């Protein structure tokens, strides 16, 4: 068996030129199946092992650093092309305006993200040694590349390696200690260590050690899930409204009244225990809500008594002689009084604003959301108050994507995430987004109420357990109690400090591995 795996390793290392590039692309494509909705983490781990073998082969070329960068780019392109294919659906909402851009998006978006992986492989190749230190070198470079991907040019930390454990809620509990970036580092180290099983002289100690570590992580997470019950906040009853309105139908003039009435009817539908908080999705009203007296009158009726309404809504603000548009979150207290406003601060590039707007327009490029100009940005995150409920932190759609940047200076007791995942296609994108929300709940130790236009709407407890939900492409409501938060997690206290500490530990591990080889 050892000889068989050794031959496989020799075969991969011997690949050169386009054969190596094609194999790297195929491995990247396969690794994407480690993420939701498939959750096959074994493919992700094996993909990292293959990447080590490919860089081994690149190191034997005339230009090792460049060759490693190319195979890294091919691997990343395959992973992002498959894992983020759903982005193309946003360009089909208004095909007459954006369909022609799909081929460019299909090449440029995953290609641009793959540059981070290319840089990681190039950096690792520059210090590559034919021993276990190379495993640590690639892990450090790859983990740093993922952290940079989440921060450079506003960041896009979607499907970083830690999300490959989405099928194991027990393993995901480790994010409460060191966040998704720390879990990603350990995942890359585990996968890369498996390259030792494809060597002629079996290098089993590191992969065995990583397997034991993840068994311990799983056991600790399972124990946490067993010992921490899901408690609720007395007197708070949530209703998440999921109107299931296709994005292409949302603003059609002949459907605006129907779409609005659907929100009202679902909000008023009978319940065993009447809700105290009604939550609508992102940009739920199909018009500028604050300019409609009739709609505001209906909200006053809807919020009579002890009920409040929390909703995403487009908002226009006129000042300095021009109108600014915001993707906002509004809090309507008793009898329809507007008691809180939050404006989205982390906007989606090319969706809600156009980088280098004047230049892009010369090439015929426009943003996806069809308002004049780009959205204005808020100054969040913030914590808002609502009567008869604990203070909460609003997050609009994409904002929940960013670890460590989801709560304001005053810590909330729960998070409300409103979103419109109808932009993201019928399956993979929304399910990946749901997993992100569960990971943030674990990291912060805060429950998340997630209201989505077409799903998945869910109430998530602070350990990432889904208490109630409504699946994709279903119209209805989710009625649930509000889960209580748990004690502030280590990650919520220290952020990415543990991640940097783990990087330092990997550097020490690389040094020890290199010294061990020299001493033999």
């Amino acid at each position: 068996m050892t000889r068989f795996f050794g031959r496989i390793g020799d075969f991969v290392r011997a690949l050169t030129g386009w054969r190596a590039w094609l194999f790297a692309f195929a491995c990247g494509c396969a690794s994407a199946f480690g993420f939701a909705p498939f959750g096959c983490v074994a493919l992700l781990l094996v993909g990292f092992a293959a990447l080590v073998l490919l860089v081994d082969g690149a190191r034997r070329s005339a230009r090792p650093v460049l060759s490693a960068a190319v195979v890294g780019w091919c691997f990343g392109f395959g992973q992002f092309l498959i894992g983020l294919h759903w982005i193309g659906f946003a360009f089909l909402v208004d095909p007459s305006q954006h369909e022609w851009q799909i081929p460019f998006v299909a090449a440029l978006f995953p290609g641009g993200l793959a540059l981070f992986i290319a840089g990681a492989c190039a950096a690792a190749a520059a210090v590559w040694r034919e021993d276990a230190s190379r495993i640590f070198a690639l892990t450090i470079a790859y983990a740093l590349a993922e952290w940079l991907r989440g921060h450079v040019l506003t960041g896009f930390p979607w499907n970083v390696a830690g999300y490959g454990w989405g099928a194991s809620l027990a393993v995901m509990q480790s994010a409460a200690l060191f966040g998704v970036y720390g879990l990603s580092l350990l995942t890359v180290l585990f996968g890369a260590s498996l390259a030792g099983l494809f060597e002629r002289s079996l290098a089993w100690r590191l992969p065995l050690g990583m397997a034991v570590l993840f068994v311990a992580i799983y056991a600790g997470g399972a124990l946490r899930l067993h010992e921490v019950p899901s408690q609720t906040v007395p007197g708070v009853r949530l209703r998440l409204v999921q109107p299931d309105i296709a994005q292409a139908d949302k603003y059609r003039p002949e459907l605006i009244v129907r779409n609005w009435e659907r929100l009202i009817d679902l909000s008023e539908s009978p319940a065993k225990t009447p809700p105290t908080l009604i939550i609508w999705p992102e940009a739920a009203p199909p018009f500028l809500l604050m300019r409609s007296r009739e709609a505001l009158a209906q909200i006053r009726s809807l919020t009579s008594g002890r009920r409040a309404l929390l909703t995403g809504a487009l908002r226009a603000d006129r000042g300095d002689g021009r109108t600014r548009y915001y993707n906002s979150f509004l809090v309507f207290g008793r009898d329809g009084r507007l008691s809180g406003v939050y404006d989205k601060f982390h906007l989606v590039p090319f969706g809600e604003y156009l980088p280098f707007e004047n230049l892009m327009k010369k090439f015929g490029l426009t943003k996806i959301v069809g308002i004049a100009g780009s959205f204005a940005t808020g100054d969040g995150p913030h914590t808002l108050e609502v009567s008869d409920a604990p203070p909460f932190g609003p997050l609009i759609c994409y904002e929940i994507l960013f670890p460590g940047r989801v709560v304001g200076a005053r810590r909330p007791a729960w998070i409300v995430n409103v979103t419109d995942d109808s932009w993201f296609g019928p399956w993979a994108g929304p399910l990946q987004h749901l997993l992100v929300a569960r990971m943030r709940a674990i990291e912060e130790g805060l429950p998340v109420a997630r209201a989505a236009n077409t799903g998945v709407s869910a109430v998530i407890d602070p350990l990432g357990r889904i208490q109630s939900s409504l699946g994709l492409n279903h119209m209805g409501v989710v009625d649930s109690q509000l889960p209580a938060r748990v004690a502030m997690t280590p990650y919520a206290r220290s952020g990415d400090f543990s991640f940097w500490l783990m990087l330092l530990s990997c550097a020490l591990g690389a040094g020890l591995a290199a010294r061990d080889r020299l001493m033999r």
Side-chain angles (χ1 to χ4, degrees), residues 299-315:
I299 287 177
R300 281 195 294 274
S301 175
L302 183 64
T303 56
S304 60
R306 294 183 58 237
R307 285 197 296 196
L309 171 67
L310 316 179
T311 181
L314 300 184
R315 187 173 71 86

Side-chain angles (χ1 to χ4, degrees), residues 284-332:
F287 44 77
L288 291 172
L289 177 59
M290 298 306 296
R291 294 185 178 181
S292 173
R293 293 182 180 179
E294 295 82 359
L296 292 173
Q298 287 180 286
I299 287 177
R300 281 195 294 274
S301 175
L302 183 64
T303 56
S304 60
R306 294 183 58 237
R307 285 197 296 196
L309 171 67
L310 316 179
T311 181
L314 300 184
R315 187 173 71 86
D317 181 57
R318 186 161 182 82
D320 301 328
R322 61 193 183 101
T323 301
R324 294 182 179 86
Y325 291 93
Y326 294 88
N327 189 352
S328 297
F329 184 104
L330 308 180
V331 180
F332 291 95

Side-chain angles (χ1 to χ4, degrees), residues 227-392:
E227 291 192 343
V228 180
S230 184
Q231 299 179 330
T232 58
V233 177
V236 180
R237 189 76 183 174
L238 306 178
R239 167 164 288 184
L240 313 183
V241 174
Q242 184 168 301
D244 191 35
I245 299 169
Q247 190 59 226
D249 294 339
K250 193 169 183 178
Y251 301 107
R252 287 173 56 184
E254 68 272 21
L255 296 178
I256 283 179
V257 173
R258 185 211 68 174
N259 295 343
W260 170 252
E261 289 179 346
R262 183 177 295 183
L263 288 168
I264 297 295
D265 291 344
L266 288 171
S267 301
E268 293 179 332
S269 58
K272 290 182 180 179
T273 304
T276 58
L277 290 177
I278 299 170
I279 306 175
W280 290 353
E282 176 186 17
F287 44 77
L288 291 172
L289 177 59
M290 298 306 296
R291 294 185 178 181
S292 173
R293 293 182 180 179
E294 295 82 359
L296 292 173
Q298 287 180 286
I299 287 177
R300 281 195 294 274
S301 175
L302 183 64
T303 56
S304 60
R306 294 183 58 237
R307 285 197 296 196
L309 171 67
L310 316 179
T311 181
L314 300 184
R315 187 173 71 86
D317 181 57
R318 186 161 182 82
D320 301 328
R322 61 193 183 101
T323 301
R324 294 182 179 86
Y325 291 93
Y326 294 88
N327 189 352
S328 297
F329 184 104
L330 308 180
V331 180
F332 291 95
R334 294 179 184 177
D335 300 319
R337 292 190 299 271
L338 182 65
S339 60
V341 177
Y342 166 83
D343 297 319
K344 187 175 183 181
F345 72 95
H346 213 135
L347 301 177
V348 181
F350 297 98
E352 294 168 318
Y353 79 97
L354 201 61
F356 311 107
E357 187 167 0
N358 292 333
L359 177 62
M360 292 293 181
K361 285 183 175 180
K362 290 180 180 179
F363 292 96
L365 295 173
T366 56
K367 67 184 190 313
I368 301 300
V369 179
I371 66 165
S374 296
F375 279 104
T377 58
D379 59 353
H382 288 291
T383 298
L384 300 183
E385 300 284 348
V386 63
S387 58
D388 300 320
F392 68 95

